[in-house]
Amino acid sequence: MSALHEIYGWREFSHMTKRLYYDQPGLLKFESVVEETGTGSGGSPQEARPALILRESAFYPTSGGQIHDMGWVTVGGERVRVAEVVDAEDGRVVHYLEGPTKSAIAPGTPVRGEIDAERRRDHMQQHTGQHVLSAAFIELYQMTTVSFHMGDDYCSIDLSTPAITAAQVVGAEKRANEIVFENRPVTIRYVRRDEAEKLGLRKLPPAERDELRLIEVADFDLSACGGTHVNATGEIGAILLRKTEKTRQGTRVEFVCGGRAVASARRDYSTLTEAASLFSAKPVDVPEIIRKTFDVLKILHREKDEALEQLAGAMANADLAGLSGDRKIAVRVFSDHDVAFAKLFAQKAVRAGVGIIALVASTMIPPGVVFAQTPGATADMGALLREALAAVGGRGGGSRDFAQGGLPAGCDAEKLLREAATKIG
Ligand SMILES: [Zn+2]
């Protein structure tokens, strides 16, 4: 109910908090009286915080996509931070204080309220920017906005369209900024529902309200809304569209307005400049340089693989040349090559002739072992490896001709291979 309340702009009943921001969205200081006090959890159930309900308030409570104001109340001689403002189901506005007041506050105590101006301005920029952006998407592409989200860093709207092109994003952004540059007036008015139906609102609320609060961007957008808005579109500042993504219902478009647009452009520029300086290049050349770097990396990887294969082959041949007898058993522990290289070495060795067995290990992290024989030879590499590893607590296995496994840290690989070699009949 409270969300609908704000989106569709109810006028309050007498027992509700009088919302000063409805008619004076620029009001940042106000005088009022405490109607009720209490404690509540507000948005964070783990901590109970003192709460005040005032006769009237300029504090905007979270609703209709817009997040709440913060600020201060001066009550009973103390100035206390207002940490969160919530729209109660019954239309009262609840002000949660950052901490308890030193003395108890009785109903009837006068209160001075003060809105955090910077935060409020940011919210007005984002929210009015959203109205302009949503209207631009309708005007250009007939894409309607089904929801609006305002976060601490960025905002988003969900459009009822299965897809959006990059050109449409740029087009809507351009049109929205034109409306900003024209500095069109943004006005508030109240109409009866039957009048509203004839006015062609961007979105008509459900038929349960008699009176609607309308926000009008002159000759561009008219919608029912309870939020706080700037007086003219120029105050929105730049509207910058960011990421788009598919959602279950349609397409989400992230955007930032005003101060947030400047901050995010600054952040992007710093990131890009840092990336460019790593290449001693201009920011505009970064994508092309990264593309070329990937191409070079691909070639280097291929060349490295080829070189390692040649090295493994040459080392295997050299080891085999030093062995004599019918059955050649090459035993080799690598401390400066990984287990993938050990495997390469073993494969090269067993393919170099007939009846060759290679017992190879790498002590690089993670340490591993490879047993291989020329295909069809008479030993059983799988059984030999399992037996050798069982003695040291390693794991592995394989077939008659090829087996591999992992060695526990600190295992004497040289000894393990030598012992395995003596077991070959
Ligand atoms: Zn709105």
Side-chain angles (χ1 to χ4, degrees), residues 6-7 64 66 127-128 130-131 148 202 215 223-229:
E6 280 315 311
I7 294 173
Q66 182 176 333
H127 198 154
T128 317
Q130 179 260 312
H131 282 220
F148 164 47
R202 173 155 52 79
I215 303 297
S223 41
C225 179
T228 56
H229 296 275

Side-chain angles (χ1 to χ4, degrees), residues 172-417:
E173 184 182 69
K174 182 166 184 286
R175 181 61 177 141
N177 280 296
E178 275 170 13
I179 302 300
V180 170
F181 302 151
E182 287 163 13
N183 200 26
R184 299 192 188 203
V186 179
T187 50
I188 304 162
R189 65 183 147 127
Y190 298 89
V191 295
R192 287 201 324 275
R193 189 182 168 82
D194 55 337
E195 292 174 78
E197 279 168 3
K198 296 175 206 140
L199 292 172
L201 300 190
R202 173 155 52 79
K203 195 175 170 190
L204 197 66
E208 45 180 82
R209 303 267 54 84
D210 294 338
E211 193 179 45
L212 300 173
R213 179 178 185 262
L214 302 186
I215 303 297
E216 180 159 31
V217 176
D219 302 321
F220 190 64
D221 184 50
L222 185 62
S223 41
C225 179
T228 56
H229 296 275
V230 297
N231 293 310
T233 55
E235 292 174 54
I236 296 168
I239 299 176
L240 181 64
L241 270 55
R242 310 263 302 172
K243 196 173 77 182
T244 64
E245 64 181 328
K246 258 181 130 50
T247 62
R248 217 178 307 161
Q249 286 95 7
T251 303
R252 181 160 300 161
V253 178
E254 285 182 14
F255 67 96
V256 281
C257 301
R260 292 189 191 198
V262 174
S264 65
R266 168 59 48 199
R267 202 165 50 234
D268 290 353
Y269 184 73
S270 301
T271 305
L272 200 52
T273 304
E274 191 185 335
S277 75
L278 292 173
F279 293 109
S280 306
K282 296 194 204 91
V284 72
D285 295 327
V286 165
E288 187 54 29
I289 287 178
I290 290 177
R291 225 171 273 131
K292 282 181 181 160
T293 305
F294 278 138
D295 288 346
V296 170
L297 268 180
K298 228 181 277 169
I299 293 166
L300 288 177
H301 273 301
R302 201 173 56 226
E303 286 179 354
K304 185 204 74 172
D305 288 346
E306 284 168 9
L308 282 177
E309 201 168 328
Q310 285 175 14
L311 179 64
M315 290 175 91
N317 286 337
D319 279 15
L320 291 171
L323 299 175
S324 53
D326 286 351
R327 172 175 266 169
K328 294 184 167 182
I329 304 177
V331 174
R332 182 64 115 120
V333 176
F334 293 107
S335 59
D336 51 359
H337 285 292
D338 63 9
V339 72
F341 185 82
K343 186 173 164 183
L344 210 52
F345 175 93
Q347 286 166 341
K348 293 287 180 188
V350 302
R351 282 180 206 148
V354 288
I356 297 169
I357 290 174
L359 306 180
V360 196
S362 165
T363 54
M364 276 177 78
I365 307 291
V369 64
V370 178
F371 287 5
Q373 69 177 358
T374 306
T378 52
D380 186 339
M381 296 295 111
L384 189 65
L385 181 109
R386 275 191 299 275
E387 191 191 337
L389 288 180
V392 296
R395 291 169 65 92
S399 64
R400 277 186 67 85
D401 292 337
F402 183 88
Q404 59 185 334
L407 291 176
C411 167
D412 187 342
E414 187 82 43
K415 184 163 164 259
L416 181 137
L417 298 188

